[in-house]
Amino acid sequence: MLVLAMDQEPANAAIDTDVLLDALSQHVLLLDADGRILRANDAWSRFARLRGIAPEAWRGAGFIDLVARMAALGDSQVAALRDGLAALRAGRGGFSTDVCYAGPSLTQWFSVDAHALEDGRRIVVQHDVTELRIFDHARIRFEQMVDASTDAILVVDGDGNVGYANDAACRLAGALPREGTSAVASVVDRTAIAIAAASGAWRSEVTIRTLDGAEIPVVQDVRKHDSPDDGGAYFTVMLHDISAEKSREEELQKRNVELQLAYSQLRGAQDQLLQSEKMASIGQLAAGVAHEINNPIGYVHSNIGTLKDYTRNLFGMLAAYENALAGVPMAPEQRGALEEQRERFEIDYLTQDLPSLLDESAEGIERVRKIVQDLKDFSHAGQGEEWQVADLHRGLDSTLNIVWNEIKYKAEVVKDYGPLPPVECIPSQLNQVFLNILVNAGHAIKERGTIRISTGAGTDSGWIEIADTGEGIAEENLQRIFDPFFTTKQVGQGTGLGLSLSYSIVKKHGGRIEVSSKLGQGTAFRILLPLRQSEQRAA
């Protein structure tokens, strides 16, 4: 427009206009209707010279061709620029585009604005926007970098209003980036802003609430900054989601509890092994003692039988002598002496009492022999830990004989044996289970009660139930009675390993133990066992 005024006013006004145009930093060019350069100000002339183009080279040259050569435009860009200039009409607005002039040592961006005059000429103004482009590129790169962060980053004012929020902040708040900064206002902790305003910075762990009401633990870092514009303050807020860390911490604590439990179970297993080894040693010792006792008992038992035969023969011979002497003539004095000796030695009493004494001795020796045999059966000396088919009724009877002294003063034992086929098992281990439960049953009865032993079988399994009328087990303890070291007995009266060891043995046999109990009424343990072991287990 200034160029148009320059052509219509006197020469001195045109000179002033040239001075004014040359003082501008923008490039101002006047093109004819065909797009050739008629005139340009000094800013353009200097720009062209830096690009190696002298004034005589650009005057009269086609603007689009010149720009295409200087800016190395592509065909599509040249076509767009040409079409834009050709479509210009006076009073109908202008045409704008950006052009990048790239050189070996200098790259510049210009915004190009073109307008049409009434006479068909065009005015083109190029404004250097290189710094703005650099700033825009830096801003874009910064936003890309910030958006790539997994931490929420916000810029807020002193009132907590959000001026900027990266994508992570939107995701944390449960909002979409297009919803704007107001959607993430819920994650701003205004108390932390106030503290940072006074102290310059604040860092803490808080729980934020998202748009959908979820609560997320975060570490917030709030820092105060002085605004370069008005001397006020703004704040950057960084929020680090620690949900994963919290989950890992909880998982670590859970693993730690599991590790402690595993350690406790391992320790229990070790103690059970020691207890088992101790019982095995005791069993071997008992078997050895039983074997040593069995030898003298054997010949005592045999000698008593022989003595009974000898005594019977002697008494028969004595009776024969008495009958023979009764018919033989004998002096009264001699017969009187024999009668006196007979009375003095109490022959009549001896003939009645001696057989009874021998019978009682034989019965006693038989009982001792049975106890020794039961002790051998309980320990199963020489049979090791081998699987075999065994009669559990015999094992129950043997075990009952062993613990009889423990329970005979407090309980009446009732045997309710049902049909129970032989069971494939390790007899010595099951005898240990019977012993533990029978001893516990005896301890549970304080004064006088009953212990009932019942057995039975199904298609492929058998069961043994030992029930007592003792004090019973509290309901809260029923889930713990098989835990290692758990006992309701007084200190020093129980190790808490008996039932735990029994549980392990029954489980090893592929069975299970069921328990039912009521306080004040008693407890029943039912042992369920498969009649035959699988090939893998039996091997």
Side-chain angles (χ1 to χ4, degrees), residues 46-120:
R46 289 192 298 273
F47 172 74
R49 189 178 297 109
L50 287 174
R51 300 288 172 175
I53 301 175
E56 56 272 16
W58 54 260
R59 286 193 184 98
F63 174 72
I64 294 176
D65 294 335
L66 187 62
V67 170
R69 180 158 54 91
M70 295 171 64
L73 298 180
D75 293 340
S76 61
Q77 293 174 299
V78 171
L81 186 60
R82 194 181 305 278
D83 293 342
L85 288 177
L88 288 174
R89 296 293 183 269
R92 296 185 182 180
F95 168 74
S96 298
T97 188
D98 289 342
V99 175
C100 176
Y101 294 92
S105 60
L106 179 64
T107 297
Q108 291 177 287
W109 280 90
F110 287 86
S111 66
V112 179
D113 297 306
H115 296 270
L117 300 177
E118 293 292 343
D119 59 3

Side-chain angles (χ1 to χ4, degrees), residues 387-392 420-426 430 457-463 506 508-511 528-539:
W387 293 88
Q388 56 186 283
V389 177
D391 181 3
L392 295 189
L420 179 59
V423 175
E424 186 176 4
C425 63
I426 301 177
L430 289 185
T459 305
D460 54 4
S461 64
W463 57 268
V506 173
K508 175 182 177 181
H509 282 71
L528 297 100
L529 297 167
L531 297 179
R532 293 293 179 269
Q533 299 293 320
S534 64
E535 294 182 3
Q536 180 179 359
R537 184 183 298 277

